[in-house]
Amino acid sequence: MLTLYNTLSRKKEEFHPIHKDHVGMYTCGPTVYFFAHIGNLRTYVFEDILKRVLLYNNFKVKHVMNITDVGHLTSDADEGEDKMLKGAKREGKTVWEIAKFYEEAFMEDMKKLNILMPDIKCKATDHIPEMIELIKRLEKNGMTYIADGNVYYDIMKFPHYGVLARLNLEDLQAGARIEVDQSKKNPHDFVLWFTKSKFENQEMKWESPWSVGYPGWHIECSAMSMKYLGEHFDIHCGGIDHIPVHHTNEIAQSEGATGHKWVNFWLHGEFLIMDKGKMSKSSGEFLTISVLQEKGYDPLDYRYLCLNTHYKTPLAFSLESLDAARSAFQGLKNKIIEFQKNKLIESSHTHDSASGDSGTHNIQLMQKYKADFIEAIDDDLNVPKALGIMWTLIRDKDLLDSEKLHLIIDFDKVFGLDLNNVVEKIIDVPIEIQKLVDERQEARKKKDFKRSDELRD
Ligand code: AMP
Ligand code: ZN
């Protein structure tokens, strides 16, 4: 039974999809104004593990991820600079060029980390009509107001505002006194549509019922997730920083429009932290996958490091910890090469015993490892424990190397360390050897063990 920690209830809950074995999953994607840092990528690795665990449990997953290419200010609320404009200014390019370049760079990073691609990848700028429709629905429901040219969401009209982050509405009202944006009735009200641009030279502008402008950041996720997954779906995730503002506002928008529950499970990944605190794009010092490669690491060394820490625990990153991950991962690859080499030889040794007691014993032992593995990953994605189970299996003297290999390759459907590729690389067998192997297999089929042993020798 798969259990997942739901931020909404602050508890582990049994996971059951709304529609039989089909899971709808939405993950908040990157704002494409700069390279993703390894902190961002930790969140995408966590979401990839979640998706792989769902697939391992035989669910069919429809995964939607957005690309934010408009509207995200440097604070997650309505303050600061426009991130896309900031990127354009920095590089002397248009916002469209910036968006295209960094979206491609992000997809490259995803590939390097062996992250499964979303089924639907959707850009905010391709969904302006859907956002406008949603804002119109909210307006019709009386949940918006216009002030100083912008359309705001009025959080006091939504009684459940802040449930995800456990915010207290009375406190939120009291906070109004210290608000800087005089147009807002409450500091937590947020912009749905900017008509009066806060920024000069805003290139991205669209016609709307409230005149020319552009959307606030949060509305894109509500509009696109409901377009592709329906008005009630299973899972929504992101990093923990999204709980108090972005996801809180997404819930207010979606449920404020439909009048019913929107998402069943909310999962949030903890941050990657550096010596000097959390890694962020604005702090100026951050590591990307390309930088790690320049330092001689394989991107999958970093993935292995991520697997070693549960997604709900902060990951304290250092190059020393990455070195340790790299050598453990190298050790694993060496074992796979060794197991693969032994596999051919081994199969001939087993033909006598496989039908006897030790064969049954091994099958039971393999089933036990598989059951332990499933128990770990189904317990809120306990991948560090699952890795430990794999290492115990590697050292188990009772199992044949071929059996170990079989299980490891199966577990890698969840780990995503591309271990199959390690196997493929080493079984580049010369043709004449392959002929002997085929001939030997024929001999074994005919139970001609004498000939089979000769061929092996
Ligand atoms: P952004 O591109 O800023 O919207 O962030 C993309 C994703 O990375 C979001 O899900 C964030 O929650 C997540 N994120 C941002 N900083 C970190 C960090 N230091 N560690 C882990 N995840 C992060
Ligand atoms: Zn989002």
Side-chain angles (χ1 to χ4, degrees):
M1 177 55 57
L2 175 60
T3 59
L4 298 172
Y5 182 89
N6 191 348
T7 308
L8 208 50
S9 63
R10 303 286 194 278
K11 278 195 207 104
K12 273 192 216 173
E13 293 176 31
E14 281 184 11
F15 176 73
H16 300 287
I18 299 165
H19 304 290
K20 259 174 79 193
D21 51 356
H22 286 74
V23 179
M25 166 170 160
Y26 185 89
T27 55
C28 289
T31 304
V32 284
Y33 75 114
F34 205 28
F35 295 108
H37 59 61
I38 57 171
N40 301 128
L41 292 164
R42 180 193 186 194
T43 295
Y44 298 106
V45 169
F46 138 62
E47 291 162 346
D48 185 53
I49 293 291
L50 168 62
K51 182 171 164 185
R52 286 168 179 273
V53 167
L54 291 165
L55 293 169
Y56 198 88
N57 276 275
N58 293 319
F59 292 120
K60 293 177 186 70
V61 181
K62 182 171 176 187
H63 174 201
V64 179
M65 184 184 76
N66 66 305
I67 300 285
T68 299
D69 54 359
V70 65
H72 192 175
L73 308 193
T74 45
S75 93
D76 282 351
D78 301 320
E79 308 307 320
E81 272 185 276
D82 179 303
K83 289 191 174 187
M84 296 305 298
L85 268 184
K86 194 176 160 184
K89 257 193 248 164
R90 183 186 62 231
E91 298 181 27
K93 292 185 185 154
T94 68
V95 277
W96 302 99
E97 285 166 342
I98 290 290
K100 184 168 182 298
F101 179 83
Y102 287 110
E103 181 189 335
E104 279 167 16
F106 176 73
M107 289 302 152
E108 273 304 305
D109 286 345
M110 297 264 283
K111 266 190 236 150
K112 286 179 190 169
L113 287 168
N114 204 25
I115 291 173
L116 300 173
M117 288 295 147
D119 302 286
I120 294 172
K121 190 181 76 178
C122 41
K123 270 192 256 185
T125 50
D126 289 339
H127 294 78
I128 302 295
E130 286 85 349
M131 295 188 221
I132 290 175
E133 275 315 302
L134 193 57
I135 300 170
K136 274 162 63 182
R137 261 173 102 175
L138 288 167
E139 198 170 42
K140 208 165 137 226
N141 292 354
M143 316 201 70
T144 66
Y145 61 92
I146 294 179
D148 202 18
N150 299 321
V151 184
Y152 286 94
Y153 188 102
D154 186 349
I155 64 159
M156 287 301 155
K157 298 279 168 58
F158 182 61
H160 305 298
Y161 187 83
V163 284
L164 183 73
R166 309 251 156 133
L167 303 175
N168 179 318
L169 271 195
E170 278 170 24
D171 293 350
L172 294 182
Q173 244 160 347
R177 273 176 249 125
I178 50 156
E179 173 53 27
V180 280
D181 183 343
Q182 297 300 326
S183 322
K184 292 185 185 182
K185 294 190 199 165
N186 185 297
H188 290 265
D189 290 348
F190 54 94
V191 176
L192 296 165
W193 189 265
F194 290 96
T195 57
K196 191 177 146 236
S197 175
K198 287 195 178 191
F199 313 102
E200 289 167 33
N201 312 323
Q202 175 72 8
E203 286 171 61
M204 294 174 157
K205 280 182 273 196
W206 293 265
E207 282 294 341
S208 84
W210 316 279
S211 112
V212 176
Y214 63 99
W217 174 40
H218 317 293
I219 196 75
E220 66 179 83
C221 289
S222 292
M224 295 193 281
S225 66
M226 292 202 281
K227 171 171 178 168
Y228 295 109
L229 296 171
E231 291 187 353
H232 182 203
F233 61 91
D234 299 295
I235 302 179
H236 192 130
C237 10
I240 42 155
D241 57 324
H242 282 347
I243 301 170
V245 182
H246 183 50
H247 288 167
T248 288
N249 292 351
E250 284 187 29
I251 293 174
Q253 294 167 153
S254 306
E255 299 190 358
T258 66
H260 60 71
K261 186 163 183 167
W262 177 43
V263 170
N264 282 0
F265 277 77
W266 286 89
L267 273 81
H268 293 95
E270 268 287 345
F271 264 32
L272 173 135
I273 42 176
M274 300 278 281
D275 291 349
K276 293 178 197 118
K278 102 178 165 99
M279 177 171 285
S280 77
K281 284 174 186 160
S282 49
S283 77
E285 51 117 28
F286 70 91
L287 292 169
T288 62
I289 285 298
S290 308
V291 170
L292 293 186
Q293 285 180 296
E294 279 159 26
K295 290 181 191 290
Y297 297 96
D298 179 331
L300 294 179
D301 296 337
Y302 175 66
R303 184 174 174 109
Y304 190 95
L305 175 73
C306 292
L307 300 188
N308 253 320
T309 304
H310 189 258
Y311 78 93
K312 284 184 54 52
T313 306
L315 193 166
F317 180 87
S318 65
L319 288 178
E320 291 72 37
S321 61
L322 186 58
D323 284 338
R326 172 166 60 179
S327 75
F329 184 39
Q330 190 55 53
L332 172 61
K333 287 185 282 190
N334 292 345
K335 279 288 168 196
I336 287 183
I337 293 166
E338 180 189 321
F339 294 162
Q340 180 61 30
K341 281 184 182 155
N342 289 341
K343 199 176 153 183
L344 283 178
I345 305 166
E346 210 168 58
S347 55
S348 62
H349 289 306
T350 53
H351 68 251
D352 298 327
S353 59
S355 54
D357 283 352
S358 78
T360 320
H361 169 75
N362 281 18
I363 289 167
Q364 281 170 352
L365 193 54
M366 284 173 79
Q367 280 167 346
K368 186 181 173 320
Y369 275 113
K370 177 136 173 150
D372 289 350
F373 175 80
I374 292 172
E375 194 184 312
I377 57 167
D378 279 3
D379 178 15
D380 193 28
L381 321 180
N382 196 339
V383 177
K385 188 169 175 190
L387 272 182
I389 291 164
M390 181 184 67
W391 279 107
T392 310
L393 155 89
I394 287 173
R395 295 186 198 104
D396 194 322
K397 298 221 164 35
D398 284 343
L399 282 179
L400 296 170
D401 284 354
S402 55
E403 292 163 336
K404 293 178 185 178
L405 194 60
H406 178 84
L407 281 172
I408 294 169
I409 296 300
D410 179 59
F411 295 174
D412 196 44
K413 287 181 198 153
V414 171
F415 297 142
L417 291 167
D418 202 18
L419 298 177
N420 234 333
N421 202 24
V422 177
V423 174
E424 273 160 24
K425 266 190 199 145
I426 64 150
I427 55 168
D428 211 356
V429 183
I431 297 169
E432 60 277 17
I433 304 285
Q434 189 58 51
K435 268 192 195 152
L436 293 175
V437 171
D438 294 344
E439 208 184 312
R440 182 172 162 270
Q441 245 147 20
E442 267 312 298
R444 293 191 63 218
K445 262 193 220 151
K446 292 183 198 140
K447 303 212 183 303
D448 182 355
F449 297 123
K450 190 169 162 287
R451 177 75 187 132
S452 126
D453 285 353
E454 270 169 28
L455 285 162
R456 186 198 66 216
D457 293 343

